[in-house]
Amino acid sequence: MAHIGSWKRLFLFLMLLLLAGGALAPETAIAQGRRSRRTAPADTPPEPRLYTSRNFKVMTDLPPNEAEELLQRLETMIKLVSAYFGRPNVQPIEMFVFDDFSHWNESQLAQLAPEGVAMVRGGGGLTMSTTLRVGTDMATRSIVYAGADHGTPQHEAVHAYCSQAFNTCGPVWYAEGMAEVGNYWVENDKSVTADPRILEYLKSQDPRPLNDIVNNPLETTGDSWQNYAWRWALCHLLGFNENYTKRFKPLGLALLAGQDANFWEVYGSQSHEIEFEYLQFLENVEPGYRCDLASWDWKTKFQMLRADAQVQAVIRADRGWQASRLRLKAGTSYACKATGKVKLSKDDTESTDGNDGALIGVVMQDYKLSEPFELPVDGTFEAPLDGDLFLRCRDAWGSVGDNSGKLTVRLSLPEESKTATP
Ligand SMILES: [Zn+2]
């Protein structure tokens, strides 16, 4: 900042944008288990070294093999994130990544930004961005401070990318949610890869209302890993669920462009649907869960059955709940006949063919679901309540994606009730 004087004749706007992330207290730290720690030989004490790759300049005391692994993970992440936003990383991201502060001497630490070092000592990370605005031109440069663990370098690098490419990271819920999505992103994989303990936390809590996530005036960056978990959950859902993903990217780009966009303007007309799918996600999420395959069918029309009519639905094994087209009446018996073969895992050589228990149903009424219940492969069942019947093959939510095959399900009124119906 010593050369600011040379810009005196120009309108100058200098902004310091601080984004803290991954601020996990050490005792609640959530390890990602990606690193294989190796002790450096005693005769070569670890010390900070500079590692460079196409998009990164990383000064770190990590052992060389781990530093190279980190660079590879960062390059993979930046490739995915910049492809998603459709904008390249404009300049290498400078990072200080700390494995063990005892490997850094005082004079080295003294050259670094104290707030960055302090944030890392507290178990998190900090991205410091400086934006130079001259007329309508803007340029942002970011420097990252991060502990080596918990995916903090990847999380902060997402902030740095957004800051440099867009001059902003958007509102806190979006900035932090997307930094976590970027941190966990695996190429060609739509499944949930977040740390299981984050998922356990989300499932153990009363669902946080959506508006408390997207519209909380008290929220701050770096507030708590619990708040980060909720922001991740919402951004992951909107990013991968087929009902919302198309609007999510334009919303994100508008937020990054500093336009006056917000969550409710974009999704207000779908608020009941999002609320319902958000609750479903929180109830069923586990490692491997696929929001795309669980996307709810809001389009198919349902009908009550009369006398000789029947409805038919094809239920894929590799999807979540699917519309049966049948609207149930509580207490009424229905005949169900399912044909076809499904495999409930890749290694499943024996196809399940007409086994009782393979097909389960739920009834939806007013955006609420009944308890799931088994449907007979060839038999009758009684409707537990009024509402629309949805079906799926029984399998853990985390392994729906590796299923194959489908069942053709025919639903009708049983013979005796037909004859009894005038
Ligand atoms: Zn962050």
Side-chain angles (χ1 to χ4, degrees):
M1 284 205 268
H3 59 278
I4 283 177
S6 64
W7 293 90
K8 257 181 189 164
R9 289 189 303 142
L10 301 168
F11 173 66
L12 180 75
F13 178 79
L14 205 63
M15 177 176 66
L16 198 65
L17 179 70
L18 302 180
L19 279 159
L24 306 171
E27 66 272 17
T28 53
I30 293 181
Q32 292 204 302
R34 287 182 184 156
R35 297 176 56 209
S36 56
R37 178 170 293 278
R38 273 171 229 167
T39 312
D43 56 339
T44 55
E47 57 179 2
R49 277 185 50 198
L50 181 66
Y51 298 83
T52 59
S53 62
R54 186 173 170 183
N55 289 292
F56 293 92
K57 289 182 183 173
V58 180
M59 184 78 81
T60 182
D61 60 308
L62 279 169
N65 59 324
E66 294 185 31
E68 296 293 348
E69 280 173 24
L70 173 62
L71 275 183
Q72 280 178 19
R73 286 201 301 275
L74 290 168
E75 285 292 342
T76 301
M77 184 280 292
I78 206 87
K79 185 178 99 177
L80 295 170
V81 170
S82 58
Y84 175 79
F85 286 114
R87 205 177 277 199
N89 181 43
V90 290
Q91 60 182 327
I93 294 168
E94 294 175 29
M95 302 181 69
F96 295 93
V97 176
F98 301 83
D99 185 31
D100 183 341
F101 275 101
S102 71
H103 300 158
W104 300 67
N105 66 44
E106 285 308 315
S107 68
Q108 289 164 344
L109 294 176
Q111 296 174 57
L112 305 176
E115 50 277 61
V117 174
M119 192 62 86
V120 178
R121 284 192 193 276
L126 189 69
T127 299
M128 303 177 71
S129 298
T130 308
T131 297
L132 180 69
R133 191 197 299 261
V134 180
T136 56
D137 288 346
M138 273 204 280
T140 297
R141 179 164 165 245
S142 298
I143 299 180
V144 167
Y145 294 82
D149 284 324
H150 322 311
T152 307
Q154 292 98 302
H155 174 106
E156 296 301 326
V158 176
H159 291 323
Y161 160 78
C162 288
S163 298
Q164 293 192 160
F166 298 95
N167 303 300
T168 175
C169 296
V172 171
W173 72 270
Y174 185 79
E176 300 303 349
M178 289 305 280
E180 286 298 89
V181 168
N183 172 21
Y184 291 121
W185 205 334
V186 177
E187 194 164 17
N188 299 321
D189 185 356
K190 293 182 175 178
S191 65
V192 166
T193 55
D195 190 285
R197 276 171 286 183
I198 286 187
L199 308 181
E200 280 162 28
Y201 163 74
L202 290 170
K203 291 166 78 75
S204 71
Q205 303 294 303
D206 286 336
R208 183 171 293 187
L210 286 175
N211 199 49
D212 287 7
I213 301 175
V214 300
N215 198 16
N216 182 353
L218 299 177
E219 71 183 0
T220 55
T221 188
D223 42 15
S224 70
W225 69 264
Q226 291 89 341
N227 287 351
Y228 280 47
W230 293 106
R231 293 167 189 147
W232 166 80
L234 180 59
C235 287
H236 181 90
L237 173 70
L238 297 175
F240 288 102
N241 183 301
E242 289 168 358
N243 293 320
Y244 314 112
T245 185
K246 282 202 185 78
R247 290 186 184 185
F248 190 54
K249 193 189 287 191
L251 170 63
L253 290 171
L255 294 171
L256 290 172
Q259 290 165 9
D260 192 19
N262 75 55
F263 176 85
W264 293 118
E265 276 170 23
V266 171
Y267 289 119
S269 65
Q270 290 176 290
S271 59
H272 289 299
E273 285 84 355
I274 290 186
E275 184 94 16
F276 171 82
E277 296 203 58
Y278 169 68
L279 295 177
Q280 286 295 303
F281 175 56
L282 294 172
E283 188 176 328
N284 299 323
V285 67
E286 59 186 25
Y289 183 89
R290 291 275 301 272
C291 281
D292 58 324
L293 301 179
S295 303
W296 200 259
D297 178 353
W298 299 104
K299 293 190 180 126
T300 298
K301 299 284 180 247
F302 288 75
Q303 61 183 82
M304 307 280 280
L305 271 185
R306 298 187 194 286
D308 292 333
Q310 69 165 20
V311 297
Q312 181 173 315
V314 174
I315 303 302
R316 295 175 54 137
D318 62 353
R319 297 279 313 192
W321 295 117
Q322 297 155 70
S324 74
R325 301 172 189 279
L326 175 61
R327 180 160 294 162
L328 299 174
K329 186 161 171 47
T332 301
S333 281
Y334 296 89
C336 174
K337 191 168 173 59
T339 54
K341 289 190 177 183
V342 293
K343 283 188 185 181
L344 296 181
S345 81
K346 263 200 194 100
D347 315 321
D348 194 358
T349 49
E350 296 286 314
S351 296
T352 305
D353 182 12
N355 284 346
D356 274 338
L359 187 65
I360 52 177
V362 282
V363 185
M364 187 195 205
Q365 187 191 57
D366 294 335
Y367 295 99
K368 288 202 171 58
L369 294 188
S370 70
E371 287 298 313
F373 57 93
E374 259 181 38
L375 277 95
V377 157
D378 189 0
T380 61
F381 69 96
E382 187 173 306
L385 65 163
D386 290 345
D388 296 338
L389 176 65
F390 285 76
L391 304 171
R392 74 181 189 99
C393 292
R394 185 196 290 277
D395 194 16
W397 280 102
S399 57
V400 168
D402 65 4
N403 297 347
S404 61
K406 57 198 173 193
L407 297 175
T408 299
V409 180
R410 291 180 184 84
L411 298 157
S412 58
L413 293 168
E415 287 304 321
E416 58 270 33
S417 76
K418 280 179 199 164
T419 53
T421 306

